[in-house]
Amino acid sequence: MQETPTITAAEIARLAGVGRAAVSNWRKRHADFPAPVGGTAASPEFDLIQVEKWLRGQGKLPELATADRLWRHLAAASESPAAGLAAVGALLLARQRGGRPRRTDPHLAPLLPDVDALADELGPQGAFDELWQRFSAPGPGRLFATPDDLADLMVGLADVGGGSVLDPAAGSGAILRAAVRAGCTSAYGQELDEDLATLARLWLALREVPGDVVAGDSLRADAFAGRAFDAVVCHPPFGATNWGDEELGHDPRWIVGTTPRTEPELAWAQHALARLRVGGHAVLLMPPTVASRRAGKRIRSELLRWGHLRAVIALPPGVAAPHGVPLHLWVLRRAAADAPPPARALLVDAAGGELAETSPRVLAAWRAFAAAPDAEVEEAGFARAVPVIELLDEEVDLTPARRQPVVGEASGEHLVRTRERLAAVVGELSALMPQVTLAPDEADGQFLTVGELARAGALQLIGPVRAGSSEPSPEGPPVLTVQDVLAGSEPSGRIDDRYGQEIPLAVGDVVVPMIARQLTARVVAAEGSLLGRNLYLLRPNPAALDPWFLAGQLRTSANEKQASSLSGTLRFDIRRAQVRRLSLDEQRVHGEAFRRLDAFESAIRQAASLGAELAQLTADGLARGALRPDQRSSRKRPRA
C-alpha cells in the first residue's frame, strides 16, 4: 500500500460534488488549501486526509457512510483496488473465524476502526459485500467483469445446481458467484492475476462454500490436472497471441486434435472438455469469429463429429466487453467415447433485443433441445436444430444467423400498409419540428450537479436495481427496461424475484440508463410499471424541478462527457451530470420545448424504422417476383 493516500483534482471535484473549475478556484483563492504532494504540474496529486480535513472545515464535504469512507481511503492507499480489498477481506475472514491475521499491512492500521465498525454493523460477509459493490462499480482502471445477467445465463445453460463447478479463467469470481446463486455444491477456479484470485477465494470462504481459487495460468500450469467436474463455465481471454501453443503441442487435453496457434479460444474449449466428467456440460463465452475462422475449421468439425459441441448461441451486442461485438456462447458436452454422436446441434440467434428479455427464451430452447437432441427444432429467425451433416460443409461455419430458417414473407397488404404509415409519419414531421431562436445573451449561467440537487431536496435519486438469481414470471406489472427507454417504447419486461426491490414508477419520473451508447433520459408518462435493472430513477420535487426540463438538461453532449465513468465506456454516473439553474416558470417553458423535441425524435425514429421496413419488403418482393416495377413511376428518375 502507498504510505500516503493521494487524490487528483478531478477526484477532489467528484468528492465534493462540484466541477473541476471550482477546485481550481479554491486553490487560487484559499491560501490554506493543501499543497500538492506529488504528480506533475499539469496533473498534481494531493494528500487525501488533508483534502478531506480542508473540505470538512469549509462545509464542502457531505457526510459519508462508513463503507463509502472506508472504500475511498482503501482505494487511495492501495497499489490497486483489488489488492486493497483483498487485504481487508483477509481481516474480515479472520474476524469471522474468531481472530486476526498473523501479519497485517502497517498501512492498513489507520483503517482498522472503520473495518471493525462496518463488520460490527453488517457482519464480516456483509462488510465485504459492501466494499465489493464499490470495487465492482465502473471506473477508471477497473477490469470488465462478466455481468451478472450473462453469468446467470451461462450457469443456467450448464445446469450447475447440485454439482461441482470449475472456472479456469475466474477473474474476480463473477461466474463462480453466479454458480453459488444457482445452487452448486462446490466451486473451483484458476486466475492469472493473483489479487483477483484472492478476491474470488475470499468471497467463497466468507460464505463457507467448499472449493478453492488458485493463482496461475490454466493452459500452461493446470492446477486441476486429473480432476473432473460436473460443469465448467468460463469467460476466457480473447485473442491471446502467446498462450503456450509451442510447449503444449501434444498436450493430452487436446481431445480432438492439436489446437492451431491462431485459435486460442479453441484451446480453452478443449481445456474445458478435458476437465468435465462424461455427460457434464461446459459453457464458454466466445468471440463470434471463432465460429467461422478458417484456421479453426478442423477443430470445429471434430467437436461436432464426436458429439462434444452441442450449441452455439449468438448474444445481443453489448452484453460484455468488448461491448461493440455480438459475442457467442458455446455449449459443450463431454461425450462418452463409445456413444453414438448426436445427429443435430442447436444454433440460436438471440442477437436482437436485450439479454434480460431473451435469456428465458434461450434457456427454454436449450432445455427443450437437451431433452430431445434428435428432434427437429425450428423457431423462425431464432433457433434451429441443424443436422450435423449439414454443418460439416466446406466452411464448417457455425454462425447462428447463417443457419436460421427464413421468416415468413410479408403479404402485399403488409407492404401497402407500411407505405401508408410511413407517409403519415413523414407528413407530421414539419409540424413537430422544434421552433427555437437564438438567445440574445449566450452566458452559461449557473449549474448544479444531480448530486447537489439530490442533497438539496430538489429530487430523489433512486436505483439502479440490481439483479438476483431466478427466472421471470409472466404475471405482475410490466417493467420498464433499458431497451424500452432507448427505443422510446412501452414497458416490455416482466417482474421477477431477481429484483432487489420493486420500485413503482410515477408520472413525471425521469429514468436514465446506467449503460448505453449515449446518455438518454425519458420522462414517465403513465403509472403502472416498475423500474427495471440498470436504470437510474430521478424523481423531481414538483416545487423545484420540471421533469421535462430536467430530462432535457441531462441528455446534453456536455453531460455525456461529464457523467461518463471512463472515456470510451458505455457507463454513466448520473450524479455528475449538471443542470442549469432557472426559475420554475422558466423551466416549464424550456420543458415544453424539450417535450416537443422528444416527440420530434420519436417521429424521426418511427420514420426511419418504417422506411427500412418498406425498403426491405420492396427489395424482397422484387427479388422473388412477387412485385414488379410500376412503369409510370420508373420513367421519373431521381436527379443525381
Side-chain angles (χ1 to χ4, degrees), residues 50-241:
Q50 293 179 12
V51 168
E52 283 188 338
K53 182 178 179 181
W54 187 89
L55 290 173
R56 192 174 290 108
Q58 296 287 326
K60 302 179 186 298
L61 184 66
E63 191 62 32
L64 293 177
T66 303
D68 290 319
R69 183 173 61 251
L70 175 57
W71 175 250
R72 179 177 295 159
H73 285 255
L74 185 64
S78 306
E79 295 177 0
S80 71
L85 181 55
V88 171
L91 287 173
L92 293 169
L93 179 61
R95 174 176 171 139
Q96 180 170 287
R97 293 174 174 175
R100 288 274 193 195
R102 293 180 180 178
R103 291 188 300 176
T104 302
D105 190 316
H107 302 122
L108 202 62
L111 307 183
L112 290 179
D114 277 344
V115 173
D116 289 335
L118 192 61
D120 288 340
E121 179 184 353
L122 303 173
Q125 183 185 124
F128 187 75
D129 287 348
E130 282 292 315
L131 296 174
W132 183 281
Q133 289 181 11
R134 288 152 180 81
F135 166 76
S136 58
R142 307 286 173 82
L143 296 175
F144 288 105
T146 308
D148 285 348
D149 280 359
L150 178 56
D152 289 338
L153 173 59
M154 293 172 71
V155 300
L157 291 166
D159 192 19
V160 304
S164 58
V165 180
L166 170 68
D167 181 355
S172 58
I175 288 175
L176 294 180
R177 295 195 300 276
V180 172
R181 292 195 296 269
C184 71
T185 56
S186 57
Y188 296 84
Q190 189 166 354
E191 166 55 37
L192 193 59
D193 185 293
E194 187 170 353
D195 289 333
L196 294 181
T198 300
L199 286 182
R201 183 168 60 250
L202 284 167
W203 191 93
L204 294 174
L206 282 163
R207 279 164 176 74
E208 300 181 349
V209 177
D212 193 14
V213 180
V214 298
D217 185 331
S218 290
L219 293 183
R220 285 191 169 94
D222 182 9
F224 300 98
R227 296 187 61 175
F229 298 86
D230 296 310
V232 177
V233 188
C234 181
H235 176 173
F238 297 160
T241 56

Side-chain angles (χ1 to χ4, degrees), residues 488-499:
S489 57
E490 295 299 312
S492 64
R494 306 307 303 179
I495 186 59
D496 58 54
D497 56 10
R498 292 163 59 99
Y499 293 83

Side-chain angles (χ1 to χ4, degrees), residues 7 85 168 178 186 233 275 306 364 383 482 488 620 623:
I7 188 171
L85 181 55
S186 57
V233 188
R275 292 294 147 260
W306 286 94
V482 168
D620 291 347

Side-chain angles (χ1 to χ4, degrees), residues 436-607:
V436 294
T437 59
L438 290 176
D441 185 0
E442 297 184 1
D444 290 336
Q446 293 182 322
F447 289 82
L448 294 172
T449 66
V450 168
E452 289 173 325
L453 290 170
R455 289 193 292 273
L459 60 81
Q460 285 181 277
L461 180 58
I462 304 170
V465 176
R466 300 294 181 182
S469 61
S470 69
E471 296 181 14
S473 165
E475 301 179 356
V479 175
L480 186 69
T481 68
V482 168
Q483 193 62 34
D484 297 333
V485 174
L486 298 178
S489 57
E490 295 299 312
S492 64
R494 306 307 303 179
I495 186 59
D496 58 54
D497 56 10
R498 292 163 59 99
Y499 293 83
Q501 62 182 130
E502 296 183 17
I503 303 175
L505 295 174
V507 174
D509 284 346
V510 178
V511 288
V512 180
M514 183 179 71
I515 305 172
R517 296 188 184 280
Q518 66 182 81
L519 186 58
T520 305
R522 176 176 171 182
V523 178
V524 175
E527 295 183 351
S529 58
L530 300 176
L531 182 69
R533 290 188 291 273
N534 294 324
L535 286 172
Y536 291 106
L537 167 57
L538 288 76
R539 181 162 288 164
N541 179 346
L545 274 177
D546 178 83
W548 282 103
F549 169 77
L550 174 62
Q553 288 282 309
L554 292 177
R555 49 164 292 176
T556 64
S557 302
N559 272 334
E560 188 161 298
K561 296 178 182 177
Q562 177 78 10
S564 177
S565 295
L566 178 63
S567 178
T569 70
L570 308 175
R571 294 173 179 261
F572 299 101
D573 182 354
I574 201 62
R575 298 170 186 82
R576 302 179 193 168
Q578 296 183 330
V579 178
R580 191 179 179 196
R581 177 179 283 176
L582 292 179
S583 69
L584 191 56
D585 288 340
E586 289 179 296
Q587 289 181 35
R588 288 168 179 158
V589 174
H590 281 75
E592 177 60 21
F594 282 127
R595 188 192 64 77
R596 290 180 60 83
L597 180 62
D598 184 77
F600 176 73
E601 284 188 311
S602 177
I604 288 289
R605 286 195 300 268
Q606 189 176 4

